[in-house]
Amino acid sequence: MVATSNDNGSFEQFLETCSEEYKRTQRELKEIDLLIQQTSDEVERMAQRNTQATNQLRQVESSIDTVPREDLQKAYTTVLDTQQRLFTMRGQLEKLQSDQRNMARYLDVLRSVLEHADLPQREEAEESEKEQEAQASVVRIIEAQERERHRLSRQMHDGPAQSLTNLILQAEICERLMDSDPDRARAELTNLKNSVAGTFQKVKGFILNLRPMMLDDLGLVPTLRRYLDSFSENSDVLTDLTVVGKERRFASHNEVTTFRVIQELLNNAKEVSHANSARIRLDMRGERLQVMFEDDGDGLEITDALASRDAEMLGLATMRERIEMLGGEIHFDSELGRGTKVTFDLPAA
């Protein structure tokens, strides 16, 4: 059957409609991405308010016999209100993320239709696709940075910030007791001193996790040895580091990435897999740095984890992005009850 001019015209009109729909969906997807970022920030702020309200309620409850009924009722109402708002915001965030996934799949279908069409503007489309890929790489870098910032923000809130809040409360107790009960005030001051010392150690540990200064000065291996010693000392996970070949320096960004990935894997081994031990092997003999990580934890169904939201929660998606953006490869091997093994490599420069 010979195609008529009407058939050709209908096909071109169809392709034009697909192209317009593709551009419209792209714009809507960018808007949803922005809304997700804004909603995530709001959820983070609301979670902090909820923690503050809960702490305030605990403080009121500790003095329930002397606190006016109105203050107690206000504290309870504040907690209920912040929890309800937090629940609502999280529901909105999940809805936006679901819409984002559905729209991304729809965009993939439209892209597939346009890519397989014999359009006269093929060269222009390919050039545009290259630009989009470059933009996508930049977006992935920015998203990885934002995820890292959110993670650090949560650590700051749950660690040093929470400890400092408790220190302020202890100081206020000491101030109230100074005149009425000096002996108890001295005891509280001793507790406050111990709390300050503990918080100082937590801050030092946080700084080490954030950016070990010796990484720039001494390199990956000495920094990793010190970090593993500290990690084993502060957890129930025994660690072992083996270096194959002559110790040498690699490109700074590759050393930082290697340290960060191992750091995240150790955190998963402790918090998620409940491992008793972890082994790290660095092979420096070739032109590429080869790393093997293995723990004896609970393990996980790695295929399902990589295809679900667990990949982001466990940092697996960020690890893969970091390694691949630097020209490396990473492989995950894990099963329930069999621990986790991760291997990756990076170029020397």
Side-chain angles (χ1 to χ4, degrees), residues 135-153:
Q135 292 175 355
S137 296
V138 174
V139 170
R140 285 196 297 272
I141 294 173
I142 294 174
E143 288 177 344
Q145 290 175 335
E146 286 303 312
R147 282 195 295 270
E148 183 71 8
R149 287 177 180 142
H150 279 298
R151 185 181 69 84
L152 293 175
S153 175

Side-chain angles (χ1 to χ4, degrees), residues 210-230:
L210 184 62
R211 173 69 181 190
M213 290 179 286
M214 64 184 297
L215 187 61
D216 294 321
D217 299 330
L218 302 180
L220 176 63
V221 175
T223 304
L224 197 54
R225 283 201 177 103
R226 178 180 174 184
Y227 180 77
L228 292 177
D229 289 341
S230 175

Side-chain angles (χ1 to χ4, degrees), residues 75-333:
Y76 274 109
T77 302
T78 301
V79 169
L80 291 174
D81 180 62
T82 55
Q83 289 179 345
Q84 180 63 37
R85 294 176 64 186
L86 180 59
F87 177 81
T88 302
M89 293 301 299
R90 283 175 173 167
Q92 292 177 359
L93 180 60
E94 291 176 359
K95 175 64 168 58
L96 287 170
Q97 290 171 336
S98 176
D99 292 344
Q100 181 190 47
R101 290 191 294 271
N102 292 333
M103 193 166 291
R105 286 194 288 267
Y106 180 49
L107 196 65
D108 289 340
V109 172
L110 291 173
R111 184 186 297 112
S112 179
V113 171
L114 294 174
E115 286 177 349
H116 289 83
D118 187 17
L119 299 176
Q121 299 86 1
R122 171 65 65 180
E123 292 183 359
E124 181 180 348
E126 290 178 352
E127 184 66 27
S128 176
E129 185 176 348
K130 290 180 181 178
E131 293 179 1
Q132 291 173 8
E133 289 178 355
Q135 292 175 355
S137 296
V138 174
V139 170
R140 285 196 297 272
I141 294 173
I142 294 174
E143 288 177 344
Q145 290 175 335
E146 286 303 312
R147 282 195 295 270
E148 183 71 8
R149 287 177 180 142
H150 279 298
R151 185 181 69 84
L152 293 175
S153 175
R154 286 194 298 270
Q155 287 183 344
M156 280 290 291
H157 175 262
D158 296 337
Q162 189 66 46
S163 297
L164 291 173
T165 300
N166 293 334
L167 292 178
I168 293 173
L169 292 175
Q170 286 183 274
E172 290 177 351
I173 293 173
C174 292
E175 186 178 17
R176 293 174 185 174
L177 294 173
M178 195 65 69
D179 296 328
S180 61
D181 193 344
D183 291 336
R184 186 179 172 189
R186 280 192 291 272
E188 290 294 337
L189 282 172
T190 300
N191 293 334
L192 178 59
K193 178 181 176 181
N194 294 334
S195 298
V196 170
T199 301
F200 177 67
Q201 291 302 321
K202 289 180 181 179
V203 171
K204 286 180 62 178
F206 185 82
I207 293 173
L208 176 62
N209 291 337
L210 184 62
R211 173 69 181 190
M213 290 179 286
M214 64 184 297
L215 187 61
D216 294 321
D217 299 330
L218 302 180
L220 176 63
V221 175
T223 304
L224 197 54
R225 283 201 177 103
R226 178 180 174 184
Y227 180 77
L228 292 177
D229 289 341
S230 175
F231 182 84
S232 296
E233 183 179 346
N234 294 297
S235 70
D236 295 327
V237 182
L238 298 177
T239 58
D240 177 69
L241 174 64
T242 302
V243 179
V244 180
K246 184 179 180 181
E247 292 185 19
R248 57 192 175 106
R249 297 297 303 267
F250 290 82
S252 176
H253 52 274
N254 287 340
E255 289 190 338
V256 171
T257 298
T258 300
F259 180 83
R260 290 291 183 218
V261 170
I262 293 175
Q263 188 179 41
E264 194 70 33
L265 291 171
L266 284 169
N267 183 64
N268 287 343
K270 173 188 174 184
E271 302 293 340
V272 181
S273 297
H274 311 293
N276 295 315
S277 64
R279 296 187 298 115
I280 299 97
R281 182 177 183 270
L282 304 181
D283 191 339
M284 299 184 165
R285 291 175 295 184
E287 293 298 321
R288 301 176 71 85
L289 171 63
Q290 297 181 338
V291 183
M292 186 276 291
F293 174 94
E294 189 171 12
D295 68 46
D296 63 353
D298 298 336
L300 65 156
E301 291 293 348
I302 196 66
T303 303
D304 295 338
L306 289 171
S308 68
R309 292 179 61 187
D310 290 342
E312 183 173 338
M313 292 171 58
L314 300 173
L316 304 183
T318 303
M319 292 181 206
R320 174 165 285 173
E321 287 175 353
R322 284 177 168 177
I323 296 296
E324 292 181 351
M325 280 191 294
L326 294 177
E329 294 183 356
I330 186 168
H331 301 281
F332 302 95
D333 180 16

Side-chain angles (χ1 to χ4, degrees), residues 17-31 103 106-107 110:
T17 301
C18 287
S19 179
E20 292 175 355
E21 183 70 2
Y22 180 81
K23 294 176 182 178
R24 183 188 65 80
T25 306
Q26 275 188 318
R27 291 193 299 269
E28 291 182 0
L29 189 57
K30 289 180 180 179
E31 292 173 359
M103 193 166 291
Y106 180 49
L107 196 65
L110 291 173

